[in-house]
Amino acid sequence: MSRQATLDTFFAVR
Amino acid sequence: MFEARLVQGNLLKKVLESLKDLLTEASWDCADTGIQLQAMDNSHVSLVSVQLRADGFDKFRCDRQLSMGMNLTSMSKILRCAANDDIITIKAQDQADNVTFVFESPNQEKVADYEMKLMNLDQEHLGIPETDYAAVIKLPAAEFQRIIKDLSQFGESVVISCTKEGVKFSAAGDIGVGNIKLAQTASVDKEEEAVTIEMQEPVTLTFACRYLNMFTKATCLAPQVTLSMSPEVPLVVEYKIGDMGHVRYYLAPKIED
């Protein structure tokens, strides 16, 4: 099974 | 004072069509360099980044930076009142709480203006790291749209796999399996029909069809789309907006547990 990642994991809040 | 006039007003109409399914509201950040928008969808799975450079407008004036928060559904409704060949001007006073859209017919015989309330949006901006992507695929935008539409019938996800031989799109579900392979084109009459692949290393990633389908709403903007992929990082789907900027979509991959 795969799960949907979110962008928060990859991009930091500026 | 902010004022931006675009003779090719239909570009703006198309930009809105490419955003409105993914975002309900967003801020347009205006500066003397141009207009930018960056926003994530509610679930934080995808992000849209739009750039419209000042030099792409026929007239551009922005005395001080301003952030115009807009309901994109409303903005889209207003832009649908503009004809495809209308000249569009966006105007706002400094610290105004509304924005005006002016639509002029090419012969100047019809002029319409629509005023819309601005919103105070507390939006966080994300820093997107500079990435050298392992694979950069350029293909006709209509072809990409067709592939995603076709494979969406099979399952919720599409696997995009890029190797030296070409790029493969696959989906699997209850009714069966679908695979579409595109090889790099050897020679084409028209540049916009080409499939080109620049690859440092093979990459395979899985993405949700739902988002890819929403990205393809931008197909009307450009003849070609660029897909940039690296292992375990978000996909970038880019459409050029004439020669004045781009719409870029970022999509987080699906990850094996």
Side-chain angles (χ1 to χ4, degrees):
Chain A
M1 273 304 285
S2 62
R3 68 178 169 84
Q4 176 66 61
T6 64
L7 289 175
D8 308 270
T9 319
F10 304 97
F11 301 154
V13 176
R14 250 198 324 246
Chain B
M1 171 84 188
F2 169 75
E3 188 173 343
R5 178 182 160 93
L6 187 61
V7 171
Q8 225 186 323
N10 70 332
L11 284 179
L12 202 61
K13 283 166 68 77
K14 289 175 181 175
V15 169
L16 251 289
E17 285 306 302
S18 64
L19 301 181
K20 68 175 176 61
D21 290 352
L22 212 51
L23 306 170
T24 50
E25 49 196 41
S27 287
W28 296 91
D29 296 319
C30 308
D32 55 4
T33 50
I35 306 174
Q36 281 188 305
L37 173 149
Q38 192 206 75
M40 280 196 281
D41 72 284
N42 286 335
S43 59
H44 286 207
V45 170
S46 70
L47 179 143
V48 188
S49 167
V50 180
Q51 190 189 50
L52 297 162
R53 283 189 305 274
D55 60 17
F57 289 88
D58 301 281
K59 182 182 173 191
F60 194 90
R61 177 179 166 187
C62 184
D63 298 339
R64 60 172 71 183
Q65 286 196 13
L66 84 159
S67 184
M68 296 193 290
M70 293 192 204
N71 178 310
L72 295 183
T73 314
S74 306
M75 184 181 175
S76 173
K77 279 181 187 164
I78 290 176
L79 287 179
R80 258 183 266 155
C81 302
N84 277 330
D85 56 357
D86 274 357
I87 300 159
I88 297 181
T89 304
I90 311 170
K91 287 197 268 195
Q93 298 298 327
D94 290 338
Q95 284 153 0
D97 55 6
N98 56 52
V99 60
T100 304
F101 297 92
V102 182
F103 306 146
E104 298 165 73
S105 63
N107 60 12
Q108 315 280 314
E109 284 169 2
K110 179 182 173 188
V111 180
D113 66 87
Y114 297 88
E115 199 177 285
M116 188 178 88
K117 277 203 185 73
L118 293 174
M119 307 167 81
N120 264 324
L121 297 177
D122 191 19
Q123 284 197 318
E124 52 187 19
H125 274 73
L126 294 180
I128 301 164
E130 281 291 316
T131 308
D132 287 326
Y133 287 94
V136 177
I137 304 146
K138 289 184 183 162
L139 71 156
E143 181 72 87
F144 180 61
Q145 183 178 39
R146 180 67 199 258
I147 289 169
I148 299 304
K149 181 171 163 260
D150 289 350
L151 291 181
S152 294
Q153 301 184 100
F154 289 84
E156 289 177 0
S157 306
V158 170
V159 179
I160 306 177
S161 179
C162 188
T163 63
K164 267 203 307 250
E165 284 70 43
V167 56
K168 187 172 85 169
F169 301 86
S170 312
D174 293 342
I175 66 167
V177 180
N179 291 299
I180 300 168
K181 289 176 207 157
L182 290 183
Q184 191 156 201
T185 40
S187 67
V188 283
D189 293 338
K190 292 182 197 160
E191 210 175 302
E192 57 201 50
E193 289 169 4
V195 176
T196 56
I197 296 167
E198 286 170 44
M199 198 202 70
Q200 316 302 325
E201 56 171 313
V203 194
T204 297
L205 288 168
T206 304
F207 300 101
C209 291
R210 198 167 82 80
Y211 291 93
L212 294 171
N213 266 314
M214 287 194 273
F215 300 169
T216 61
K217 291 284 178 337
T219 304
C220 55
L221 274 172
Q224 286 247 316
V225 58
T226 305
L227 313 178
S228 302
M229 302 203 300
S230 276
E232 291 175 24
V233 304
L235 165 76
V236 190
V237 179
E238 178 178 318
Y239 297 86
K240 296 263 184 250
I241 306 168
D243 53 7
M244 69 184 304
H246 58 248
V247 175
R248 262 183 214 152
Y249 301 96
Y250 294 83
L251 178 59
K254 288 193 166 188
I255 292 171
E256 289 301 318
D257 270 332

